[in-house]
Each structure stands twice: as structure tokens, then as C-alpha cells.
Amino acid sequence: FSEEKHVDARMKRLIEAVQDEDSNIQRSGALYIIELCRQAPDVFARYKNRILPLSFCLMHRSETKVSSLFTNIWDEGAPSDSAAMRLYHLEIGELCVEGLKSDQWKTRKSSSIAVTKLVKKSSGMPLSNASVLCEALIACLGGRYWDGKEDCIHALSVLCSENADSVAKAPGIEKVLSALLSALKRKKTAIAACNAVSLLSASSGIGSSGDKALLILGQLLDLVLEGHDEEDEDEEASKKRLEKVRIAAIQCLTKVWGSLSSSTQASEITDRTLQVLKAAISNESEWRVRDTAVESAKSILSYSSLDLPQHSKWLCWICGNCLSSLGKEQREKSLTLLLQLLEVIVTKCSSSLQDGWATDAKEALTKKAAEVKPSSELHERFKVLLTKV
């Protein structure tokens, strides 16, 4: 090799080259670095503090011919994941922040994925640059849609869930929720935002965020009932997208409700939630949406501190919709879910239901049980539930 000063100059140009947006230049640079790692490990070691953070970010590029080469560099040159994260998380974070500011959507996308991987490979170690990364991800969520914005939303939720204390100080959970609320209102990012809010509900104290959490709950309720305007899509595509959005919103709704169930507005929140689930359990819903709503209702009604008599009106309607859906349902899994929900209602809520519900329930259950194979496990469920009614 040349003298050290000449090597320094060449390595500087090489490192600048692999940060180029041109994938061919990146591949050429990666091949050079791989050979450097193998043929001159002592020289590679002098520059690995700059090479390895770059490799970590570039191995998440969408072009596999580029990402695979930088994955090889990382695998051959880096220590264990946990050790590498302790050593390089600041440098990786700086590169991710820079990438998130790029005009190129594929760079923002790969930087978002790199943030997610950085958090996961840190194995629970709080990141000292979490607040800076959070601000950069939030800034990326504004403006028009770009391919990869869902990855940015996911990265934001993973980062906040694993670094809740740092994010609470700056930029604050309210700012994070505000960004996710905006994403919920856009049809292309609604599902990713639902998944993100679900993750945050379990880890970041969303229930203490006040009005923002209530606004998110309201948006979720709207998504379950109405979805988004789909005028630019054909009917079949619109129907499929709406179904996916409603399912994601119901799943998220259950977790947000759990976070808010001890708030001062818990009674009103529960009423609104049960009202929406009642509609989703009806025969008019697609079966996947109905199944998800049934599971959600079962989870909420099983909640130990829920004051059921306060919500008797919605319980009666949910029970009526369950019995109505039971009569027309043919799928075994869907029938099982309905029976499980009815069992919760019978066990915990019977005193909150109107007179005559038991007669209606017995009639519907007996009629449907006659259609089920007598030796089946499902038929046994019907028998057990009938004894409880």
C-alpha cells in the first residue's frame, strides 16, 4: 500500500463515493472495501469507525446488489450486534438523520429501516440519540406520500416504544401522537399508523397524553365505521383496502381503549367503542372485519375493572348482533369466536341485559347447534353455553 497520507486521501474519496446515490458507484466502493477487509485487515481496522456505520445504513438499501455487499462488510468487519450498537449507535444515528433529510425517497426509506434495525439490535439498550432520531422521523412524515413512508412510521413507533423516557422529554409523546394522527387520516398510511399506535399503546404511556389520545381514538372509530374516501380506485381495490383499514383500526382501537380505560372519560370512551363494535359485528360487515370486532369486544368485556351496568344498552345490541350473526355464519372459526363472546356476555354481563334475552339466546343457540355435527368440538361448545344461559 501507499504511504499513510495517500491511503487517507483514497479512503476519504472512497467513503464519499459509497454515499453517492448511484448504485453502481456504491457497488464498486463496496467491492473495494471487501477486498480491503480481507487483504489488508490492519488498514481496514484504521477506518472501520467510518466504514462500519456506513455499511450498516447501506445494507438496508432496496437494491439487493448493493445491500448484499454492505451486509458482507458488516458481517465480516463488525463485532457482535450488541457490541457494535454500543460502539457505533451515535455514528449510525447521524447517518440515518442525514439520510432522512434526503430528497431521494429510497434513501429516506433505507434510513427508516436502518433506524428500526438499530433499535432492535440494541437489545433494549436506551439510545442516547433517540430524541434526535425521533425528531428526524417526525419531520419525514409531513408533506405528500412517498414510497417508504410506512417504514418511517414503523421506525418511529419502534424507537419510541424502546426509548419512551427519552422521547417523553423531547420531542414529547404528544408530538409523536400528533404525527401519527395525521398519518391515520391518510388512506395510504392509515394501516401503518394503526400498527404504530398499537405498539405505542403498550409501552409509551399513551393514556397520559390527554387530548391527543382521545383524538386518535375518535379517528380510529371513524375508520372502523367509514374508512377513507376511495374515489380514485376501482371498486374491488377500494373494498379490499377498506377491509384492511377497518381490521387494523379495530385491533388498534382495543389497545388504545385499554390505555384510556382508567381515564376520567372512561365511561364515554367505552360507550363510543362498544357502539362501533356493535356495528362491526353486524351481518353487513365483511366476515374478517366481524371476526376482528368479535375478538375486540370479547377482550374489552373481559376487562376486570369495567363497570358493565353503565353500558347495558350497547351490551344488549352487541348480544343481539351476535345472535343474528350466529344464525347466518357457516365458518367454524367465526362461529367459535361468536360463542366465546357470548360466553363472556353470559358469564359477566347477564344481569345488565334486558328481560327476555335468555329466551332469545337459547332459541338461537339451539337452532344453530342442530346444524352442527353432533360429535364435533363446536357442538360441545354450544352445549356448554346453553347450560350457562
Side-chain angles (χ1 to χ4, degrees), residues 292-333:
T292 307
V294 168
E295 289 187 282
S296 177
K298 183 183 72 171
S299 176
I300 289 174
L301 294 179
S302 300
Y303 203 74
S304 58
S305 63
L306 185 61
D307 187 1
L308 293 171
Q310 286 189 28
H311 314 290
S312 58
K313 177 175 70 172
W314 301 114
L315 290 174
C316 291
W317 282 345
I318 286 176
C319 184
N321 279 1
C322 278
L323 295 174
S324 177
S325 296
L326 191 71
K328 298 180 180 180
E329 187 58 75
Q330 299 298 321
R331 287 170 288 271
E332 183 173 342
K333 180 182 177 182

Side-chain angles (χ1 to χ4, degrees), residues 30-64:
L31 290 169
Y32 188 100
I33 293 171
I34 289 173
E35 287 306 308
L36 185 69
C37 179
R38 294 171 180 172
Q39 303 300 328
D42 55 329
V43 177
F44 177 86
R46 295 213 313 267
Y47 301 97
K48 67 179 183 180
N49 288 349
R50 296 190 66 190
I51 292 173
L52 288 176
L54 266 174
S55 298
F56 184 87
C57 294
L58 291 170
M59 72 188 202
H60 299 107
R61 298 286 288 190
S62 56
E63 305 95 329
T64 54

Side-chain angles (χ1 to χ4, degrees), residues 192-355:
C194 285
N195 295 334
V197 173
S198 293
L199 185 58
L200 288 177
S201 296
S203 58
S204 299
I206 189 174
S208 62
S209 57
D211 293 342
K212 280 288 186 294
L214 292 174
L215 288 171
I216 283 180
L217 182 76
Q219 182 61 32
L220 290 170
L221 295 172
D222 290 343
L223 285 177
V224 177
L225 289 173
E226 301 172 8
H228 293 104
D229 183 9
E230 304 281 354
E231 291 182 359
D232 60 327
E233 295 190 28
D234 63 70
E235 185 176 349
E236 188 61 28
S238 173
K239 184 177 179 180
K240 288 181 179 179
R241 182 189 289 274
L242 176 59
E243 182 177 328
K244 290 178 180 179
V245 168
R246 294 184 73 196
I247 288 171
I250 291 170
Q251 292 170 336
C252 182
L253 176 64
T254 311
K255 295 183 178 180
V256 173
W257 176 88
S259 297
L260 298 173
S261 58
S262 59
S263 71
T264 55
Q265 296 173 282
S267 180
E268 178 188 350
I269 290 167
T270 301
D271 265 351
R272 291 175 64 194
T273 302
L274 293 178
Q275 179 185 5
V276 168
L277 292 178
K278 180 267 298 185
I281 293 171
S282 71
N283 287 322
E284 285 72 29
S285 293
E286 299 86 353
W287 68 270
R288 292 183 184 85
V289 173
R290 185 164 58 248
D291 282 0
T292 307
V294 168
E295 289 187 282
S296 177
K298 183 183 72 171
S299 176
I300 289 174
L301 294 179
S302 300
Y303 203 74
S304 58
S305 63
L306 185 61
D307 187 1
L308 293 171
Q310 286 189 28
H311 314 290
S312 58
K313 177 175 70 172
W314 301 114
L315 290 174
C316 291
W317 282 345
I318 286 176
C319 184
N321 279 1
C322 278
L323 295 174
S324 177
S325 296
L326 191 71
K328 298 180 180 180
E329 187 58 75
Q330 299 298 321
R331 287 170 288 271
E332 183 173 342
K333 180 182 177 182
S334 299
L335 284 170
T336 300
L337 290 171
L338 285 166
L339 290 177
Q340 289 173 346
L341 174 55
L342 285 168
E343 186 172 356
V344 171
I345 292 174
V346 167
T347 303
K348 294 194 65 178
C349 317
S350 58
S351 61
S352 302
L353 299 175
Q354 294 174 345
D355 294 338

Side-chain angles (χ1 to χ4, degrees), residues 12-160:
K12 181 180 179 181
R13 290 197 297 270
L14 177 63
I15 289 170
E16 289 174 354
V18 297
Q19 295 181 77
D20 195 282
E21 296 288 350
D22 189 321
S23 59
N24 291 322
I25 295 177
Q26 290 175 334
R27 287 177 61 198
S28 300
L31 290 169
Y32 188 100
I33 293 171
I34 289 173
E35 287 306 308
L36 185 69
C37 179
R38 294 171 180 172
Q39 303 300 328
D42 55 329
V43 177
F44 177 86
R46 295 213 313 267
Y47 301 97
K48 67 179 183 180
N49 288 349
R50 296 190 66 190
I51 292 173
L52 288 176
L54 266 174
S55 298
F56 184 87
C57 294
L58 291 170
M59 72 188 202
H60 299 107
R61 298 286 288 190
S62 56
E63 305 95 329
T64 54
K65 290 182 179 180
V66 172
S67 60
S68 60
L69 291 173
F70 284 100
T71 299
N72 288 339
I73 295 170
W74 178 263
D75 291 342
E76 293 188 27
S80 66
D81 283 343
S82 57
M85 294 306 105
R86 285 195 299 273
L87 289 170
Y88 304 123
H89 76 272
L90 287 174
E91 291 82 358
I92 292 171
E94 288 173 3
L95 291 169
C96 288
V97 169
E98 186 179 334
L100 289 167
K101 295 177 181 177
S102 172
D103 293 333
Q104 300 290 323
W105 63 262
K106 62 182 180 181
T107 302
R108 295 197 296 272
K109 178 183 174 76
S110 63
S111 297
S112 299
I113 296 171
V115 171
T116 300
K117 297 297 184 182
L118 171 63
V119 175
K120 291 184 175 180
K121 288 181 181 293
S122 296
S123 303
M125 178 190 78
L127 300 178
S128 59
N129 54 351
S131 294
V132 176
L133 289 168
C134 186
E135 291 277 13
L137 289 166
I138 290 173
C140 259
L141 293 180
R144 60 181 296 181
Y145 176 81
W146 46 273
D147 186 12
K149 189 173 268 195
E150 296 92 334
D151 296 297
C152 185
I153 292 170
H154 179 60
L156 179 62
S157 65
V158 172
L159 177 71
C160 293

Side-chain angles (χ1 to χ4, degrees), residues 160-188:
C160 293
S161 65
E162 294 293 334
N163 297 270
D165 291 341
S166 297
V167 171
K169 294 175 183 176
I173 189 63
E174 291 82 5
K175 190 170 181 178
V176 174
L177 293 178
S178 181
L180 293 177
L181 179 61
S182 297
L184 280 171
K185 295 177 180 179
R186 299 181 180 185
K187 66 181 180 182
K188 289 185 177 180

